Every structure is written in C-alpha cells, then in structure tokens.
C-alpha cells in the first residue's frame, strides 16, 4: 500500500472501503484477543470494561483511528488488565501480549486459506500472481494488514506487545 488512505479514497472509493474494513477488523480482533486472553486467565477487568466483545467500536481509539486514515499509521485502544489477577504470575502478561499478534497471524492464515480455496487459479507455486475482483482485493489487503500488525506488534518497544514479552526474561 504505497498510497496514503486519503489518496486511495480519492482514487478508488471501493478500495478505501475495503482498506477501512480490513484495518478496523484486524485491529478490533487483535484487541479482542488480548481481552479474551486476560479473561481466560482469570482477570475480569476487560469483561467489566466491555472489551470482551467483537464490536469494533469498543476496540478503536478515536485519535488512533483518525490517524490511520489521515497519516496511514495509528493504533487501537489498548486492553487494560491486572497482572496480579492473572493465573500465571510469570507468564501471564506475555500470554496476554502474544494473544493479539497470534490473532493477526491466525487471521492472515485464514485469508490465505480463503485465497487458496476461492482463487487457486491465481496462485503459482504459493505466490499470488494477479489480483482481480472485490473479494480477492479484500483478502489480499486483510492478509497484508494482519501480517504487518502481527509482526510490528512483536517489536520489543513499549507500548507494543513485544515489550511485554520481556517480562518472561526480566524480573
């Protein structure tokens, strides 16, 4: 995606809608995975804050969302959780942190499977050779966005998820 989202809107409104749907879905499901991981470990705070939902509005940060579409870079609303409430004191924060990027990898995998099922004739030795059609365009965007989010969030830089993984190794 070499163009800014606003340029895409001006050039191709359908492509912009596909991009918006892919971004919003990827961010919402990423944050939902964090909330679910914390909840499964015994912390009810994400549930109490209404974050254990698939509703994208609960997971989007207003400023981060606007910046995604204005600047091409933004963020979702981080899921708050209590470390002391997690069942695993040592690995709990890392499990919650890994849940978001893992969700993005799972979503990217689902996109690849759907691409293979519906568009097998566009593949040559596992690589996509030619995009065509609205569904194909959406699946390619969804795949790229989820791979980018999953990998980027693993960087060990606060406030990214990768920085929480350091809790395994550091006191």
């Amino acid at each position: 995606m070499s163009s800014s989202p606003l340029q895409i809107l001006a050039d191709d409104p359908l492509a912009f809608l596909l991009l918006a749907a892919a971004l919003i879905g990827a961010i919402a499901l990423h944050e939902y995975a964090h909330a679910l991981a914390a909840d499964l470990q015994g912390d009810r705070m994400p549930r109490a804050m209404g974050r254990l939902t698939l509703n994208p509005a609960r997971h989007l940060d207003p400023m981060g969302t606007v910046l995604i579409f204005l600047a091409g870079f933004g963020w979702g609303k981080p899921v708050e959780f209590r470390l002391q409430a997690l069942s695993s004191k040592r690995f709990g924060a890392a499990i919650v942190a890994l849940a978001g990027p893992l969700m993005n990898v799972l979503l990217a995998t689902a996109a690849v499977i759907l691409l293979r099922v519906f568009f097998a004739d566009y593949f040559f030795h596992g690589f996509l050779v030619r995009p065509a059609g609205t569904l194909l365009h959406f699946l390619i965007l969804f795949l790229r966005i989820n791979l980018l989010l999953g990998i980027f969030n693993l960087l060990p830089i606060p406030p990214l998820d990768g920085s929480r993984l350091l809790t395994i190794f550091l006191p």
Side-chain angles (χ1 to χ4, degrees), residues 33-131:
H34 288 307
L36 181 62
D39 189 72
L40 290 174
Q41 288 190 77
D43 184 4
R44 300 297 178 245
M45 189 162 112
R47 180 183 298 268
M49 296 180 75
R51 301 301 301 278
L52 200 61
T53 178
L54 294 174
N55 179 359
R58 303 295 297 168
H59 300 292
L60 297 176
D61 179 87
M63 177 69 85
T65 304
V66 168
L67 283 174
I68 286 172
F69 294 105
L70 291 180
F73 185 84
W75 57 89
K77 186 187 307 179
V79 171
E80 294 180 40
F81 65 95
R82 297 169 302 180
L83 185 59
Q84 65 276 13
L86 300 176
S87 57
S88 174
K89 302 303 180 225
R90 177 159 185 198
F91 300 108
I95 291 168
V96 173
L98 273 175
L102 179 60
M103 174 62 85
N104 292 122
V105 170
L106 291 173
L107 291 170
T109 302
V112 167
I113 291 168
L114 291 172
L115 283 166
R116 294 293 297 213
V117 167
F118 294 113
F119 302 100
D121 55 328
Y122 289 97
F123 282 88
F124 177 72
H125 298 294
F127 293 100
L128 193 60
V129 294
R130 186 179 69 138

